[in-house]
């Protein structure tokens, strides 16, 4: 896969261009790109429960919810063609290539922002140098701006800085007791590479702990992240209005 991505065929180049345009430029709603599938479960559940963020992030009509944001869907196709399989390592490559991919379309009008959401932990070591060198935006574990506008419709958000070191991760938005949930006697572990027989990982936590208990879980800890998402969306709307006023395409 690495060789195919580094030396793509003409067909792969065209397909990559199509997928980039479809997923990140011709978007019908603000797009949120998380580190992985479980983060999407968390955020969709939080938006569903925290009605103060309706209608900015969702509409609720007679119990049926319609989301006003879209979440990037990780797939084998996204991994093979766009080199997006989840994690900050892949997001690094996405950031490095964004301006080049964008330039292939002669600055088309972009209706909505693309918002990258990452944990404010050691994984940022692969992201912060890129945003500094490519976009001239400085961030570190201790900075705590609501969002970081990188370029055009591209924004970066990180989980709120905590403690002296600033490190945090999205699961900390849940009540601590929830992460103590046992499944068949196994404990929850954040270690993505663990193989301990008495532990389970994030995907099982999302599917078997969060999803079935959405109605009972306190999602108030997600309010800061959702507020930051709304702030980035509002900022992009303001940018579009300003550019339209001077006749500059967005």
């Amino acid at each position: 896969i690495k060789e195919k991505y580094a030396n793509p065929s003409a067909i792969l180049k065209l397909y990559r261009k199509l997928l980039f345009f479809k997923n990140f430029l011709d978007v019908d709603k603000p797009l949120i790109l998380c580190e992985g599938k479980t983060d999407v479960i968390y955020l969709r559940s939080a938006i569903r429960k925290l009605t103060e963020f309706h209608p900015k992030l969702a509409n609720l009509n007679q119990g049926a919810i319609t989301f006003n944001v879209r979440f990037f869907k990780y797939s084998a196709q996204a991994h093979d063609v766009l080199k997006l399989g989840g994690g900050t390592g892949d997001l690094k490559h996405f950031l490095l290539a964004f301006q080049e991919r964008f330039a292939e379309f002669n600055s088309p009008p972009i209706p909505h922002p693309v918002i990258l959401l990452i944990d404010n932990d050691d994984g940022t070591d692969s992201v912060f140098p890129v945003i500094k060198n490519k976009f001239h935006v400085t961030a570190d574990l201790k900075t705590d701006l609501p969002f970081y506008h990188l370029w055009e419709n591209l924004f970066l958000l990180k989980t709120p800085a905590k403690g002296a070191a600033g490190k945090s991760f999205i699961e900390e938005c849940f009540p601590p007791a929830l992460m103590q949930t046992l499944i068949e006697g196994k404990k929850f572990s954040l270690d993505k590479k663990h193989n301990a027989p008495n532990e389970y990982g994030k995907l099982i936590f999302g599917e078997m702990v969060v999803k079935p208990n959405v109605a009972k879980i306190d999602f108030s800890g997600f309010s800061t992240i959702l507020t930051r998402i709304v702030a980035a969306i509002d900022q992009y709307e303001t940018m579009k209005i300003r550019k339209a006023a001077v006749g500059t395409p967005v």
Side-chain angles (χ1 to χ4, degrees):
I1 293 175
K2 289 183 179 180
E3 183 178 350
K4 180 172 69 174
Y5 190 87
N7 301 288
S9 64
I11 293 178
L12 182 57
K13 285 182 179 179
L14 182 61
Y15 192 32
R16 186 170 62 193
K17 182 176 180 179
L18 172 64
L19 287 185
F20 182 86
F21 180 78
K22 177 182 177 181
N23 282 285
F24 305 113
L25 301 186
D26 188 29
V27 285
D28 60 346
K29 299 176 181 179
L31 178 74
I32 302 172
L33 180 59
C34 301
E35 288 188 46
K37 297 177 181 178
T38 52
D39 293 356
V40 175
I41 294 174
Y42 305 159
L43 291 175
R44 286 176 65 89
S45 301
I47 292 170
R48 184 183 298 273
K49 282 293 295 292
L50 299 177
T51 56
E52 62 265 33
F53 292 97
H54 303 166
K56 196 68 181 184
L57 298 180
N59 293 324
L60 195 62
N61 184 14
Q62 297 182 344
I65 191 166
T66 301
F67 287 90
N68 294 330
V69 293
R70 190 174 300 284
F71 295 92
F72 181 76
K73 185 177 181 180
Y74 285 103
S75 63
Q77 180 187 67
H79 182 264
D80 289 351
V81 180
L82 296 172
K83 205 175 181 180
L84 276 173
T88 50
D90 282 359
L91 293 182
K92 168 188 174 180
H93 295 293
F94 173 78
L95 290 168
L96 285 170
F98 189 86
Q99 288 173 311
E100 177 185 347
R101 300 279 174 266
F102 188 100
E104 293 178 332
F105 297 96
N106 298 316
S107 299
I110 312 300
H112 299 289
V114 171
I115 301 169
L116 276 63
L117 174 63
I118 63 173
D119 286 339
N120 193 44
D121 60 10
D122 292 336
T124 58
D125 289 346
S126 63
V127 172
F128 290 157
V130 174
I131 67 171
K132 182 176 182 179
N133 294 329
K134 292 288 291 186
F135 305 105
H136 309 293
V137 173
T138 300
D140 58 42
L141 291 173
K142 296 182 180 180
T143 59
D144 203 31
L145 296 179
F147 58 81
Y148 301 81
H149 177 232
L150 302 183
W151 192 75
E152 295 291 343
N153 70 323
L154 185 62
F155 291 77
L156 174 74
L157 274 68
K158 59 194 188 78
T159 53
K162 290 186 175 183
K167 291 184 180 181
S168 65
F169 49 90
I170 195 168
E171 284 80 8
E172 290 180 310
C173 296
F174 289 110
L178 192 70
M179 290 193 286
Q180 304 302 317
T181 303
L182 298 178
I183 296 180
E184 298 179 352
K186 297 180 180 181
K187 297 179 179 180
F188 175 45
S189 171
L190 287 166
D191 186 353
K192 299 175 183 177
K193 298 180 180 179
H194 77 85
N195 56 6
N198 62 338
E199 296 177 345
Y200 65 91
K202 294 179 65 172
L203 185 57
I204 292 177
F205 179 73
E207 293 287 350
M208 298 183 66
V209 177
V210 177
K211 268 189 177 181
N213 298 293
V214 168
K216 297 182 290 184
I217 294 173
D218 177 8
F219 284 93
S220 60
F222 283 84
S223 293
T224 299
I225 290 177
L226 298 187
T227 296
R228 292 180 175 192
I229 291 173
V230 170
I233 293 171
D234 287 345
Q235 175 64 22
Y236 191 65
E237 288 300 315
T238 299
M239 290 167 54
K240 289 200 303 181
I241 292 171
R242 289 174 179 170
K243 288 188 177 183
V246 297
T248 304
V250 179

